[in-house]
Amino acid sequence: MAADVHMFTCLSDNFGALIHDPATGATAAIDVPEAEPVLAAAKAKGWTISHILVTHHHPDHVQGIEAVKAATKAHVIANAADAHRIPLVDETVAPGGKARFGSLEADIIDTPGHTVGHIVYHFASEKILFSGDTLFSLGCGRLFEGTPQQMWEALKVLRALPDDTAVYCGHEYTGSNAKFSLMVDPDNAALKARAEEVFGLREAGQPTLPTTIGQEKATNPFLRADDAAIAAVLGMRGRLPAEVFAELRERKNKA
Ligand SMILES: [Zn+2]
């Protein structure tokens, strides 16, 4: 039986996500932006949170861990390199390794950039990626700790995953990302269609996620920093993709 993912909003623009393994009943929360909505979401589904998979240490991803752990005794899994700044870690994992819960396992992919210890969880057999604050729909995370080169390399690894991989991100930023993407990639028909869809969903108060790797490859300018059309719009023809990526991120910061 395939894993079941339940996504919901919390805080002002965070997404919470639960992944449930029907074979064993195990349920993992991906980060805990705040405890109450995460516990309520699990209860509504009739699931009990057995594990917490942490993507990175920012407060809006870890501040609910203590309360959820107190309520459920959930087992907290985080990047060994970041365990010192994430609360109540029970088990550390390393990039290139696996995180296991129930009968499911996720590949741990290193994605330094937003933070240096950021990891994402790829459930290959389920075709599901929890991308935290690394990859957003039509965007990517801000570079708080890593370099543009690091983030670009990380995004290229995610871009190489199968097109039909469902992507669950940490935030609902797709509306603002869509506006920016149209400015730097104005002639992209796939992007225009996706932007229309996104504006409609946001107006209706509906989530714009999950997206897919295939859709992001076609529409997300931050995955297309090596596309000549984008370099041309930025006046950077012939420049290195990491330089184009850095300029994109810089312009988005100011947009
Ligand atoms: Zn963050």
Side-chain angles (χ1 to χ4, degrees):
M1 253 164 92
D4 193 355
V5 176
H6 178 53
M7 191 186 66
F8 47 93
T9 51
C10 48
L11 296 176
S12 60
D13 54 25
N14 278 72
F15 277 118
L18 300 172
I19 176 167
H20 178 73
D21 174 23
T24 62
T27 300
I30 311 302
D31 296 331
V32 188
E34 56 179 336
E36 223 167 88
V38 173
L39 290 169
K43 193 173 174 195
K45 297 293 287 184
W47 301 343
T48 302
I49 297 170
S50 54
H51 293 74
I52 297 170
L53 307 180
V54 183
T55 63
H56 67 296
H57 74 283
H58 283 158
D60 64 320
H61 291 258
V62 306
Q63 62 199 1
I65 288 176
E66 212 170 329
V68 167
K69 198 171 164 65
T72 63
K73 300 191 174 66
H75 183 83
V76 180
I77 298 178
N79 188 358
D82 252 4
H84 62 285
R85 51 182 184 174
I86 292 169
L88 303 177
V89 175
D90 295 295
E91 180 185 342
T92 60
V93 290
K98 310 253 189 213
R100 294 187 175 84
F101 83 94
S103 66
L104 300 175
E105 64 175 31
D107 295 316
I108 306 300
I109 303 175
D110 198 17
T111 59
H114 179 68
T115 67
V116 291
H118 195 297
I119 54 174
V120 302
Y121 295 86
H122 178 224
F123 290 84
S125 67
E126 310 298 313
K127 298 182 188 288
I128 292 169
L129 174 70
F130 294 102
S131 64
D133 287 1
T134 294
L135 175 63
F136 296 129
S137 185
L138 300 179
C140 72
R142 255 175 211 265
L143 303 179
F144 287 110
E145 297 179 355
T147 65
Q149 179 81 45
Q150 282 179 308
M151 187 66 144
W152 170 242
E153 295 302 328
L155 290 174
K156 277 199 291 184
V157 172
L158 302 188
R159 186 175 75 170
L161 297 176
D163 280 354
D164 58 352
T165 306
V167 181
Y168 295 86
C169 324
H171 290 272
E172 178 60 272
Y173 290 159
T174 321
S176 108
N177 288 342
K179 285 181 200 150
F180 175 76
S181 298
L182 288 169
M183 287 195 282
V184 294
D185 197 11
D187 299 323
N188 182 338
L191 169 59
K192 285 186 213 172
R194 169 67 170 151
E196 280 308 307
E197 179 195 40
V198 165
F199 298 143
L201 286 167
R202 294 309 297 143
E203 228 173 79
Q206 298 293 315
T208 63
L209 297 182
T211 179
T212 63
I213 291 293
Q215 175 163 260
E216 293 307 309
K217 275 161 68 177
T219 57
N220 186 334
F222 293 93
L223 293 186
R224 303 176 60 243
D226 50 0
D227 185 313
I230 293 196
V233 171
L234 300 186
M236 297 180 75
R237 238 183 267 268
R239 299 280 289 278
L240 292 173
E243 295 176 317
V244 175
F245 174 80
E247 177 65 20
L248 280 172
R249 190 57 257 180
E250 209 37 53
R251 290 196 189 197
K252 177 68 172 73
N253 292 347
K254 294 176 189 146

